[in-house]
Amino acid sequence: ARPPVRKRAGNVDTVVFGCYRREAFAHGLFDEELATNQDDEFNTRLLARGMRLYFDPSIRCRYYCRPTWSAMLRQYWRYGRYKMRVFRKAGRIGSLRQLAPAAWVAFLAAAPVLGRFGLAVIAAYCAIGLIASAASRKLLFLPVAASLHLAYGAGFWWGLAADAFGPRQADPASPPFLEERSR
């Protein structure tokens, strides 16, 4: 049996698998030019126009995770990769927490220069992950969470650089090192 959801109902800054009232689409449909993050961009646009997003923890849905670790990494790479485009289209950052994985990747890149402080922060991250693993009884929590944060954060920086310095053309949806190999 699953533990009860502890999140309270109320207004939020984004909602996954949203159900929208018809009048929300008066502000446009999902942006099909984005390769991913269409719902995120839509939610940001609605909030910018004064609409509200409401989370109801009693609503249940079934979600099927990616079947492989590399597929999951590609998914989160894409989320990070296109986050900058969502910010640019919206003209604002959706929320500061959306920058956390990119900040973590930047911190990890700087950690060798930071010496003991860098090691202490990395150790704290791992300790918190281990505590969360134990509390949830999910042994893979830490490696999964770390992988998601790294893939999303690295994708964000890749996207920022590609959008700033690269040609304005379609780019690969995932980094070359995560591409599926044909057999």
Side-chain angles (χ1 to χ4, degrees), residues 108-132:
L108 290 175
V113 179
L114 298 172
R116 289 184 181 161
F117 174 74
L119 286 174
V121 172
I122 293 169
Y125 176 91
C126 292
I128 291 168
L130 290 172
I131 291 167

Side-chain angles (χ1 to χ4, degrees), residues 4-183:
V5 176
R6 296 173 194 250
K7 175 85 171 144
R8 291 190 194 125
N11 293 328
V12 292
D13 63 353
T14 192
V15 64
V16 65
F17 315 124
C19 180
Y20 302 93
R21 293 182 182 198
R22 184 177 295 224
E23 57 265 22
F25 297 103
H27 301 290
L29 301 174
F30 284 87
D31 185 343
E32 295 180 17
E33 290 182 14
L34 293 171
T36 189
N37 297 27
Q38 300 93 339
D39 59 338
D40 187 30
E41 186 275 334
F42 187 65
N43 291 336
T44 302
R45 191 169 2 120
L46 293 177
L47 290 172
R49 287 171 173 73
M51 298 191 80
R52 292 179 297 153
L53 300 172
Y54 188 83
F55 174 76
D56 182 347
S58 69
I59 297 173
R60 300 281 187 240
C61 70
R62 186 169 299 210
Y63 176 79
Y64 296 94
C65 297
R66 296 297 189 265
T68 65
W69 201 278
S70 64
M72 177 192 69
L73 292 176
R74 281 192 307 279
Q75 175 188 10
Y76 276 79
W77 171 274
R78 285 171 54 111
Y79 289 165
R81 164 66 185 97
Y82 285 91
K83 184 58 71 175
M84 199 63 215
R85 289 189 182 177
V86 170
F87 292 165
R88 186 175 296 120
K89 286 185 86 63
R92 67 188 196 116
I93 294 171
S95 73
L96 289 179
R97 104 183 122 65
Q98 294 174 337
L99 298 175
W104 180 241
V105 168
F107 179 84
L108 290 175
V113 179
L114 298 172
R116 289 184 181 161
F117 174 74
L119 286 174
V121 172
I122 293 169
Y125 176 91
C126 292
I128 291 168
L130 290 172
I131 291 167
S133 293
S136 66
R137 291 185 239 142
K138 307 281 189 219
L139 295 178
L140 293 178
F141 178 85
L142 178 58
V144 169
S147 296
L148 298 181
H149 294 150
L150 292 173
Y152 184 105
F156 180 90
W157 289 114
W158 181 284
L160 181 64
D163 287 354
F165 304 113
R168 297 282 185 214
Q169 62 186 22
D171 61 326
S174 59
F177 56 87
L178 286 177
E179 288 298 322
E180 289 290 327
R181 305 271 189 258
S182 54
R183 300 184 201 272

